[in-house]
């Protein structure tokens, strides 16, 4: 924990630029993957050969460079954190509600259910559910990751759960979301891929062996957090650049915008701003590009210590 601070702390300038790259990586992966969301690898191959161009289309019939709920929900979460000056569950719930009222291009079932329940009852934490192990809390977590950078690990994990539990209250979703957050934070401090695996993936597998990326190649990954993260971990481990990682993961098809988004935030933090392909940045919706960059910088400058959570969140520590 603290040893990493001492050993790996990079210069401040690189830090912020890497945070921007993580946010842009999220948007780029979303935009690239959306074209092939819900296709099988075979269908992608038949239609595109290797899909490696941001071109829109897909089942959502997107304009080229458009992003989906993965990115827009993250931006809504980030706006809520900036508005509250910290992680406040009620402010986040209101931001998610406003986001849904604005008719996003897509929305997951668990997300919709959680937001409707917040709207009706003010509920800040969904009841624990075995079935809500989707990837919807993980895909949008990056603003929390940036806002809590430098805080103690327990506080970071608590903050992850505050935003997650508005819609997803499940141990696999929590473990996956917290692991991705801690990996991104370590990468922003300069940790390499081997270090991320040793410090973050191994302990996840000790607690939840089903996330193990070894074994069968994850193709056509569903929205189940286990499938999503196996695909993302495999793509990270099998490649050595932002571009190759993202191409690998989205060509697996399935929930490709979301595997793209999660791989994108990790690979952006890991490989840094110079690794982001210029044609992809040029193709990305430029309003989204600017919003991601501005929000990344603003979130890094939030003062510590403002985490408001529903009471049940304070008592979790088990299970990791
Ligand atoms: Mn999406
Ligand atoms: Mn998706």
């Amino acid at each position: 924990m603290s040893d990493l601070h001492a050993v790996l702390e990079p210069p401040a300038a690189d830090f912020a630029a890497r945070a921007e790259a993580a946010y842009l990586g999220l948007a780029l992966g979303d935009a690239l993957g959306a074209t092939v969301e819900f296709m099988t690898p075979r269908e992608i191959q038949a239609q595109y050969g290797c899909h490696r161009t941001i071109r829109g289309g897909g089942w959502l019939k997107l304009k080229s460079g458009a992003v989906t709920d993965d990115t827009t929900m993250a931006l809504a979460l980030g706006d809520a954190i900036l508005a509250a000056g910290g992680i406040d569950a009620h402010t986040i719930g209101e931001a998610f509600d406003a986001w849904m009222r604005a008719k996003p291009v897509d929305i997951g079932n668990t997300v919709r259910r959680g937001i409707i329940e917040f709207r009706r009852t003010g509920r800040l934490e969904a009841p624990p559910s075995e079935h809500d192990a989707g990837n919807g809390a993980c895909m949008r977590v990056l603003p929390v990751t940036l806002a809590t950078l430098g805080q103690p690990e327990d506080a970071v994990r608590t903050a992850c759960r505050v935003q997650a539990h508005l819609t997803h209250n499940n141990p696999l979703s929590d473990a996956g979301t917290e692991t991705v957050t801690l990996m991104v934070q370590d990468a922003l401090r300069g940790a390499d891929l081997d270090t991320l695996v040793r410090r973050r993936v191994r302990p996840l597998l000790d607690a939840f062996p089903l996330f193990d990326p070894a074994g069968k190649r994850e193709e056509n990954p569903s929205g189940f957090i286990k499938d999503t993260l196996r695909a993302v971990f495999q793509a990270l481990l099998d490649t050595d650049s932002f571009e190759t990682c993202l191409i690998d993961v989205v060509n697996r098809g399935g929930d490709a915008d979301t595997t793209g988004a999660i791989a994108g935030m990790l690979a952006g933090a890991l490989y840094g701003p110079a690794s982001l392909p210029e044609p992809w940045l040029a193709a990305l919706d430029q309003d989204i590009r600017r919003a991601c960059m501005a929000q990344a910088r603003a979130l890094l400058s939030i003062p510590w210590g403002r985490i408001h959570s529903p009471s049940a969140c304070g008592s979790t520590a088990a299970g990791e």
Side-chain angles (χ1 to χ4, degrees):
M1 237 177 285
S2 51
D3 61 318
L4 196 75
H5 277 276
V7 176
L8 296 170
E9 195 98 44
D14 179 53
F15 211 84
R18 274 179 192 269
E20 281 183 0
Y23 221 134
L24 290 169
L26 158 70
L28 291 172
D30 184 7
L32 183 71
T35 303
V36 294
E37 189 183 22
F38 302 135
M39 293 172 72
T40 65
R42 191 185 293 258
E43 288 165 346
I44 296 167
Q45 176 67 35
Q47 191 161 347
Y48 300 107
C50 176
H51 171 56
R52 56 190 307 150
T53 308
I54 290 183
R55 64 198 317 155
W59 72 282
L60 294 169
K61 301 186 169 35
L62 297 170
K63 283 189 296 189
S64 178
V67 295
T68 75
D69 57 342
D70 307 68
T71 305
T72 60
M73 216 179 179
L75 287 168
L77 172 58
D79 283 343
I81 294 171
L82 293 170
I87 316 284
D88 176 71
H90 186 80
T91 311
I92 295 169
E94 294 201 313
F96 288 169
D97 190 5
W99 169 83
M100 191 166 86
R101 285 183 196 281
K103 301 207 185 313
V105 291
D106 61 338
I107 180 168
N109 291 331
T110 309
V111 169
R112 182 196 309 275
R113 195 166 61 240
I115 294 174
I116 287 174
E117 202 57 30
F118 168 80
R119 186 182 291 171
R120 283 181 40 218
T121 68
R123 185 185 78 186
L124 298 178
E125 187 172 38
S129 167
E130 272 179 55
H131 308 292
D132 292 344
N135 55 26
C138 188
M139 73 183 191
R140 68 182 185 227
V141 75
L142 184 63
V144 170
T145 311
L146 300 181
T148 60
L149 192 61
Q151 295 199 19
E153 184 175 322
D154 280 356
V156 173
R157 289 182 183 273
T158 299
C160 286
R161 288 193 292 268
V162 169
Q163 78 81 18
H165 287 191
L166 277 153
T167 55
H168 294 65
N169 188 352
N170 175 279
L172 291 177
S173 164
D174 285 350
T177 301
E178 291 163 30
T179 297
V180 167
T181 281
L182 293 165
M183 289 171 76
V184 170
Q185 292 190 343
D186 288 353
L188 294 177
R189 294 192 196 98
D192 63 12
L193 183 55
D194 287 346
T195 306
L196 299 187
V197 169
R198 191 180 73 249
R199 286 174 49 86
R200 304 302 182 190
V201 179
R202 289 287 157 223
L204 174 69
L205 303 187
D206 290 343
F208 298 103
L210 83 175
F211 285 105
D212 195 342
K216 190 165 174 290
R217 181 180 163 86
E218 194 71 53
E219 296 205 316
N220 207 16
S222 75
F224 180 24
I225 188 72
K226 183 270 285 185
D227 290 3
T228 303
L229 290 190
R230 283 194 77 241
V232 167
F233 293 157
Q234 288 176 355
L236 272 174
L237 292 167
D238 287 352
T239 60
D240 60 4
S241 72
F242 180 89
E243 185 172 14
T244 52
C245 176
L246 273 280
I247 290 171
D248 178 309
V249 88
V250 302
N251 280 277
R252 295 161 185 256
D255 197 358
D257 61 327
T258 304
T259 58
I262 296 171
M265 57 178 115
L266 283 163
L270 185 61
Y271 298 115
S275 72
L276 306 179
E278 196 48 54
W280 290 1
L281 287 169
L284 184 65
D285 180 312
Q286 296 298 296
D287 288 336
I288 293 288
R289 180 182 181 177
R290 278 187 291 273
C292 291
M293 294 175 73
Q295 206 180 78
R297 297 255 170 191
L299 287 165
L300 287 180
S301 61
I302 296 212
W304 293 6
R306 287 217 45 204
I307 297 179
H308 299 185
S309 55
S311 53
C313 276
S315 60
T316 47
E320 249 80 49

